[in-house]
Amino acid sequence: EKTGTCYRADHLLKDYCNEKLEKDLTISDKKATELKDVLANLEDFSCEKLGAKIKEYEITAPDTKNTLSDPYPFNLMFQTSIGPSAANIGYMRPETAQGIFMDFKELYNYNGRKLPFAAAQVGQAFRNEISPRQGLLRVREFTLAEIEHFLDPEDKAHPKFSNVAKLEFFMFQREEQMPGQSARKLCLGEAVEKGIVNSETLAYFIGRVYLFLVRLGIDKERLRFRQHLANEMAHYAADCWDAEIETSYGWIECVGIADRSSYDLHAHSEKSGVELQAEEKFSEPKEVVKLVITPMTKELSLAFKENKKKVVLSLKAMNEEEAMLMKATLESEGGIEFYVCTLAKNVTIKKNMVSISKEKTKEHQRKFIPSVIEPSFGIGRIVYCLYEHCFSTRPSKAGDEQLNVFRFSPLVAPIKCTVFPLVRNQQYEEATKVISKELTSFGILHKIDITGTSIGKKYARSDELGVPFAITVDSKTLVTIRERDSKNQVRVNLKDAASVVSSLAKGKMTWRDVSPKRLSSAAAADNTLAESMYPELFSLDGDDDSET
Amino acid sequence: EKTGTCYRADHLLKDYCNEKLEKDLTISDKKATELKDVLANLEDFSCEKLGAKIKEYEITAPDTKNTLSDPYPFNLMFQTSIGPSAANIGYMRPETAQGIFMDFKELYNYNGRKLPFAAAQVGQAFRNEISPRQGLLRVREFTLAEIEHFLDPEDKAHPKFSNVAKLEFFMFQREEQMPGQSARKLCLGEAVEKGIVNSETLAYFIGRVYLFLVRLGIDKERLRFRQHLANEMAHYAADCWDAEIETSYGWIECVGIADRSSYDLHAHSEKSGVELQAEEKFSEPKEVVKLVITPMTKELSLAFKENKKKVVLSLKAMNEEEAMLMKATLESEGGIEFYVCTLAKNVTIKKNMVSISKEKTKEHQRKFIPSVIEPSFGIGRIVYCLYEHCFSTRPSKAGDEQLNVFRFSPLVAPIKCTVFPLVRNQQYEEATKVISKELTSFGILHKIDITGTSIGKKYARSDELGVPFAITVDSKTLVTIRERDSKNQVRVNLKDAASVVSSLAKGKMTWRDVSPKRLSSAAAADNTLAESMYPELFSLDGDDDSET
């Protein structure tokens, strides 16, 4: 109330409860239960309830201890004005997905009017966070990657589900999310069979997200899929699971995999008046009982004049239950009060104004609004978690310091290879340039180090940047390739060096394949010779950080 | 003035002049010369001058013919507020480059404190255009890709310049941009020698941009590099060339390649107080004559009290000319009026307050603010121009319609290959799936067409999407690969199909390489047999659009 600084009301209350429970040993059991109850139900609290609790607990501003105003809602979308007129208000998108829903008709046609199909996009999203924090984890501009997989709500099987059905990983289902409980390893196929995961397709994407994250380098022991609680989930969602990764900040939600049912297409269709539907053609016509609502235009015109059209549309929009109730009431009482939302008022419908019946007809196709399964990836969060999971230290050879190593897999390491001459001389430097040129032609991003520092320091620098391979030019015809994590080394012909590293970096070859006997015999034979020539490159362990 | 609609004043004036010159045959020669003069100098017009001309020519609103208000400046940056307080104003970035300048120190250290080096980034930029138009060409949110190449302003040579020096393409130098003139083909090496392009490094990037655009598929006969006129160029720029591509909207600026000198680093350094410099270590110390300004703190303290610090900083910031003038004036008159910008006023400096001299010293290094060469790519514009340059039509076999073909090169085509069975049967459909799976493993994006339409229609669809290759499964062991532009076809073993298309799509093989005799002999031998079996696949030309 004094400085104008703003805080998130729910965070203030949460922090207060957590601190009391952790640090205040004098609180009664009753009080403790109450605070735990607040924490459990925080997400459901209204603005008024949050304000009342803040007053009750006498919570003040964290920095200044000043009193706080009542909470008020805050729009997390950035507002701006578009074009030269200030009246033309616009908002920066808080998620990228809606563009795909708007394009549904084009995408459906593009796919030959068949389901299922998916569209994916990567883009910037913007949220006006009240208090951005935790590095890349809560920022105001971030990169989202989203897939919208459209499917028939009556058939959520997935033809490739068997590819992931045997996967086992940590899942934390809704019913088990009690204090003291933690995620259990479950087999994905069983989770679908037991109905823990709502559908095969949802489970398929959970499995693929698991494989994706683990392949990037996320530690599978610190990865879990947590099901949304009923109060977290949007009202329209059929099921939702978050891929959560454990970091020093706790469990971080990095990917959300939600069955959003047909909500988005439905909402766009309703607001725009454009039909966003798919159809299933029947191999032979089916007999169906169909609701037929026939407004009597003449009578409606007389009764409602210029409002007739809106009344007609509202009558036609009735669902079966509403229509049958109207039919019964009209028959028994001759008239009914009917709310027309576009007029925002009730009108009186009389028996002669509408005919309602159920008729048997033959249908050649079924029309429906597709459901959508949406995996949504927070790219910055995944990158941050990868940093934590790949970071490690190991002692230098002298043991006097800890050296930093980023154990990025070759797949994601931004730099795949370091190239440097063992000593500074023209021949070695020329050879370094030749290898560099070849690496470029293979599309392998690399870094050249021709500084005068020792080989140990060069390896240490390379390790700290997470570079998986290093090529040391140590003769006119042969070079040494060194792998970051094992620190093992192998000698290959100079002319093969770039292609070997390219195969390693692209995952076409593993380090295990690059043993002397599997490489060209000329290079392999020379390994023994080389060992006697450059013993410092060939001791079994740790020589590469011999920097003092 | 009546509807509140806004227009760009310069556009109104430009449109008026162009229309008069083109359509009004009654205007005098004198008037025509005046209008041409306005067009030529439009970019230099002040707000007042624009307003005066609009009044003089009685220009009205294009749609309504209403009178116009005086022009006023309009901020092309979108404004928003950050966080919950409305007082915290922010703007959406109108270009992406500034982040690189802010990171200069980190990047310089990362590169081992050596020049030259470059940083590149791709991102969204936002400009609140008054009237967005022309499809992708003028939009409010767009993707920019920028390279900042930092270099020593005293050495703008480029080691790889010889790679591009022999290129010849259309260049439109400043002096030749007169009415009726057009770009001439110039050799890039000569353009540097003759001083038409300011430096080797700037020319190197011009050459690389040329190669990039042509490789994407831009027609080199409709591509020119136009040098900025003096009045277009930012005051600090040393030279600037735009890659312009000719489209149905005229010549479109798609890439700007500018030597921005040291302006950006200088400006960031000045505002932030952080030194953004590079150094060149001398192999042996150099003797230099250096300006030494020594403010006398005691005397300055007495005279200016709390303002002393600001006066000291201003004195130290004098350049050589200013300092030597002050020294002379102090010696002849004993005092001088000196403007201190941070105080926004003149103060009187007396002879005893500062000592100014030139001294010989030995220097071990030279410190300087690097220059920067910036190629800046408008991605959406390039994509749009590519659409125009790749679009073509050709008559259907029956000659009754024009079929659309996007001649995207395999490198940029979003879909590399279509796969479909010649007729619908289980064996062919199975084979189609096998090929699809292999294409996926090669990372080749493709589209399967198992609709019942004719082969001609399938090819026509594929051509319209710009897909360079199609695989038709027409036997259990052999398939036909068809190239989009030549419509030529070749038969290969089913098991080789995916790998051949992958090599073609990745540019490892050209269509010329895929002649029957170069492929495996088994498949080649079968081509004669196949021809007799499926004559509709083997006629010399045009069979593939035999759809009726």
Side-chain angles (χ1 to χ4, degrees), chain A residues 79-80 83 93 110 128 141, chain B residues 79-80 83 93 128 141 415:
Chain A
Q79 182 180 315
T80 188
R93 59 177 166 273
Y110 180 79
N128 199 0
E141 176 179 0
Chain B
Q79 181 180 315
T80 188
R93 59 178 165 274
N128 198 1
E141 177 178 359
I415 307 166

Side-chain angles (χ1 to χ4, degrees), chain A residues 10 13 37-51 53:
Chain A
D10 56 339
L13 190 53
D37 198 56
V38 167
L39 284 173
N41 296 299
L42 201 52
E43 302 239 359
D44 291 333
F45 277 19
S46 66
C47 185
E48 289 69 32
K49 186 140 190 195
L50 280 171
K53 280 284 167 196

